[in-house]
Amino acid sequence: MYLVNCWIEHSNLKVNKTFSYINDFYIEKGIRVRVNFNRKDVIGFVDDCIKITDLEKLEENLGYSLKYINCVVDEKSVLTEELFELGKWLSNQTLTPTISCFKTMLPKKIKPISNSGNAVKIKVVKSKDLNGKLTLKQQKAYDFLKFNENITLNEFRNIFKSVVKSLLEKNAIEIYEVEKENSVKLKNYNMSDDLILTKEQKNAFDNILKSENNIVLLNGVTGSGKTEIYLQLAREIINQNKQVLFLVPEISLTPQMVQRVKSRFFNDVAIYHSGLNDQEKYEEYKKVLNNKVKIVIGTRSAIFMPFSNLGLIIMDEEHDLSYKQDNTPQYHCRDIAIKRAENFGCKVLLGSATPSLESYARALKGVYKLVELNSRINNKMPKIKTVNITKEMKNNKNYIISEVLKEKIQDRLNNNKQVILLLNRRGFNTFSRCQNCNNVIMCPHCDISMSYHRDIKMLKCHICNTTMPYPKVCPKCNSVDSYSSFGFGTQRLEEEVKSIFKNAKVLRMDADTTSKKNSHEHILESFSKHEADILLGTQMISKGLDYPSVTLVGILNADAGLNRVDYRSQEIIYDILTQASGRSGRSDEEGEVIIQVFDEDNYVIKSVLKQDYKTFFNREMMYRKAGGYPPYNYLISVVFSGRKKEVINNEAYNFKEKLIGNFNILGPSELLKINDQYRFRIILKGKNIDEMRENIQKLLNENTFMCSLKIDVNPLVLD
Ligand code: ADP
Ligand code: ZN
Ligand code: ZN
């Protein structure tokens, strides 16, 4: 008899602990079972399994009788031992129930949940030892099978019509089912060879390899050849017969990166990201679990792949916000990368042209090894200039595209070059106001103004996607046709560009044009083939693109986000502007960048102009220190939300009262309403993150709450 302790699938479970059942035989850790819990049949996830000799005595000690598990779901554990422990660690780090962490880590088909769905199976054919005689036709098919093991029944039937039945009757073949394996179809790219590293690249490469510190930050300006270094490091590790994980922020935005990895490592590559369907994810996961691939390229969720022999983790654009998960558990991929590298005793390489302040500060302190690349491969940094839009407006000039930018775009069009235009606002207009009473139309469910979208002729909320028609009559003052729209988004910019440059081909890339699967790839591929002259869009187009014909980047409304209250808004804007600028002039010709701003004197804009990360870093660190923000202190944010404002406010106050320790507590402060949910937030701020965590964990264990709580340890943004 065995005592089986398992984690139970249950969303309402506040208590973060295992429950005990019994079984006649031993069950391995990480196997899913079905058990009864509160009279329901639910999935459990086996943690440990202990032999018991005296059940009666055990039950007597426990004070209740134990139930049998209903059945075992998996043949083999779906998690490695290392991942199992990682799940528990993650629970602790993010203050999330362990079962939620396991759910996050696993692809849907093997999640510990009831509706996970089954793996897709296919029929394959195999030859058996032959006893009788075959006809000529049958013999041919039979021989074919000897050289084509495990061909699918469908393929076999297509080649040898009408022999399957007779071969089966003669007991010459058998048909059996296997799990489907190769649903993810990647284009076959031409193989490419390693480039010869420049002296600076070679130096960096050597320093990374021989670093005694296993956490390395590679800070290299845009176009300095970081990717080439990643690929050659990967080769080095694969040659040692170890696995490599290559993390990128968003795969659909960087099809070029997949192409570069694929063209070097061909069939040794697995790919993992949120764009895959459940079956595809499951297959890719199994490929890694069964050690069938050597390198995995993927986004945030790929950090949970079941490696057994990991030799290197590369995290490209380590500063990117998409590495942080928004839902519970709100983990940061970088923290897990560092933890797993520690588990495997391997290196983790963080790469960026604009490292997060946290990482760069750690590198300067020697916590991470710092390796830098200061020049571009082509030795030509782009020339960056600002245009003061306030002045343009005063002179009654076009305030969307300045004269200077207009001229430069025309110049590129004349010379058959390409242009990228960044405007970090989608829609046509950004808000609508009544000319009579100044009423601005807000979303009925959220505290933000509605944006006008001309394609659907509707106002749209960018938080909850509610749409409504443009009001004919003002709901406040009853004036008729009194509304005008202001501000401009990418749709308006597209119209403007097309009306000025009548012959130019223009592509727009933003959340509205990329809602369909693979639409990102189509737009980028078309641009890379030079089927369009101008690519315009939101910050999606600022990442990682490497197109040799792009020699001009224009950034519109560049300082729009700088006056947000969030402590990281300056850093975010600096990153976007620098990364977008970095798309210009990456090949033979020097690039140019035009940044349109309202305030040229802002230090963020000035540092972008000078292409000087260090000056920006030092200045920004001063502000962070003065405000006590990261990396000088740790933060934990707790957001209380629900439909009844008073209740939520009270819960937040009560929570705050019960916190005691060597840290500051800010708030509760009211946040913007979202989806009809009122929200209040408190922030813990201090040097001892463990103490802060323990405090919150204790309150979670000891209390029940009248509203929902969202806990974010080390929040990246606080807006
Ligand atoms: P980063 O990742 O730092 O932005 P990339 O690796 O994309 O830079 O390199 C910029 C460009 O220079 C790419 O087009 C790449 O093919 C090219 N490149 C990189 N390393 C070399 C090299 N050693 N020799 C020639 N070209 C290189
Ligand atoms: Zn009005
Ligand atoms: Zn809304």
Side-chain angles (χ1 to χ4, degrees), residues 307-573:
F307 297 104
S308 50
N309 191 16
L310 192 58
L312 174 67
I313 302 176
I314 297 159
M315 190 170 175
D316 188 31
E317 313 292 4
E318 68 92 35
H319 64 277
D320 200 284
L321 300 181
S322 70
Y323 281 123
K324 172 100 186 191
Q325 167 142 309
D326 266 344
N327 315 324
T328 7
Q330 299 206 58
Y331 67 88
H332 198 297
C333 188
R334 191 197 301 122
D335 298 332
I336 302 177
I338 290 172
K339 178 72 180 168
R340 292 198 78 186
E342 189 187 303
N343 291 348
F344 285 96
C346 75
K347 289 211 166 79
V348 51
L349 178 62
L350 312 172
S352 178
T354 52
S356 63
L357 259 60
E358 285 86 342
S359 293
Y360 200 70
R362 284 188 188 131
L364 289 183
K365 271 170 89 181
V367 182
Y368 304 162
K369 161 90 179 167
L370 181 62
V371 177
E372 305 200 82
L373 295 168
N374 295 314
S375 50
R376 276 192 162 184
I377 290 288
N378 67 5
N379 274 314
K380 292 174 205 143
M381 292 303 284
K383 274 211 190 91
I384 310 183
K385 276 202 203 114
T386 49
V387 172
N388 188 325
I389 266 316
T390 323
K391 277 190 202 150
E392 296 269 315
M393 282 166 86
K394 271 194 197 132
N395 297 332
N396 277 328
K397 294 271 169 54
N398 186 324
Y399 66 99
I400 298 184
I401 301 177
S402 63
E403 290 299 317
V404 186
L405 184 55
K406 227 182 267 176
E407 275 166 32
K408 304 239 180 235
I409 295 176
Q410 192 57 57
D411 172 72
R412 297 316 189 274
L413 294 175
N414 296 344
N415 290 297
N416 200 26
K417 295 284 175 197
Q418 289 178 294
V419 179
I420 289 181
L421 296 178
L422 169 75
L423 172 62
N424 209 5
R425 259 301 202 164
R426 65 193 169 103
F428 195 82
N429 295 117
T430 50
F431 64 98
S432 305
R433 188 170 54 207
C434 171
Q435 302 290 51
N436 185 38
C437 71
N438 281 334
N439 182 45
V440 171
I441 304 175
M442 306 292 283
C443 171
H445 310 287
C446 312
D447 287 335
I448 66 158
S449 60
M450 304 284 278
S451 298
Y452 181 62
H453 284 235
R454 181 172 281 187
D455 51 347
I456 50 171
K457 298 203 169 52
M458 290 277 218
L459 295 167
K460 193 173 189 175
C461 168
H462 285 180
I463 293 181
C464 70
N465 280 328
T466 293
T467 53
M468 58 187 197
Y470 210 70
K472 180 93 181 136
V473 180
C474 174
K476 266 264 168 68
C477 71
N478 293 325
S479 309
V480 177
D481 285 333
S482 61
Y483 274 89
S484 294
S485 290
F486 302 90
F488 60 100
T490 43
Q491 286 182 9
R492 175 79 205 280
L493 175 62
E494 182 183 13
E495 194 178 279
E496 190 75 20
V497 168
K498 283 179 172 165
S499 80
I500 301 175
F501 308 104
K502 299 220 159 48
N503 297 322
K505 286 193 214 78
V506 183
L507 285 169
R508 172 161 64 92
M509 184 153 139
D510 55 29
D512 299 309
T513 62
T514 55
S515 52
K516 287 202 198 92
K517 194 174 175 171
N518 297 332
S519 43
H520 301 88
E521 279 94 332
H522 290 317
I523 295 175
L524 292 177
E525 199 172 300
S526 167
F527 192 62
S528 85
K529 287 189 196 144
H530 209 141
E531 288 166 0
D533 309 294
I534 301 172
L535 172 66
L536 67 87
T538 51
Q539 48 89 26
M540 300 185 171
I541 61 172
S542 68
K543 304 186 183 192
L545 307 180
D546 185 36
Y547 299 127
S549 304
V550 175
T551 59
L552 175 66
V553 168
I555 306 175
L556 293 81
N557 221 342
D559 48 358
L562 282 176
N563 42 20
R564 277 180 30 220
V565 286
D566 179 28
Y567 79 98
R568 203 180 290 268
S569 61
Q570 324 289 322
E571 185 184 343
I572 293 171
I573 299 291

Side-chain angles (χ1 to χ4, degrees), residues 634-660:
Y634 293 103
L635 307 175
I636 298 182
S637 122
V638 187
V639 175
F640 303 77
S641 62
R643 285 184 170 252
K644 294 209 176 102
K645 199 165 166 177
E646 276 73 54
V647 175
I648 298 149
N649 197 4
N650 270 341
E651 287 284 359
Y653 267 104
N654 290 340
F655 199 92
K656 178 180 178 170
E657 303 267 280
K658 290 183 198 148
L659 292 166
I660 351 152

Side-chain angles (χ1 to χ4, degrees), residues 210-221:
K210 68 168 194 256
S211 162
E212 280 179 15
N213 190 332
N214 266 346
I215 312 174
V216 184
L217 175 65
L218 175 62
N219 174 24
V221 296

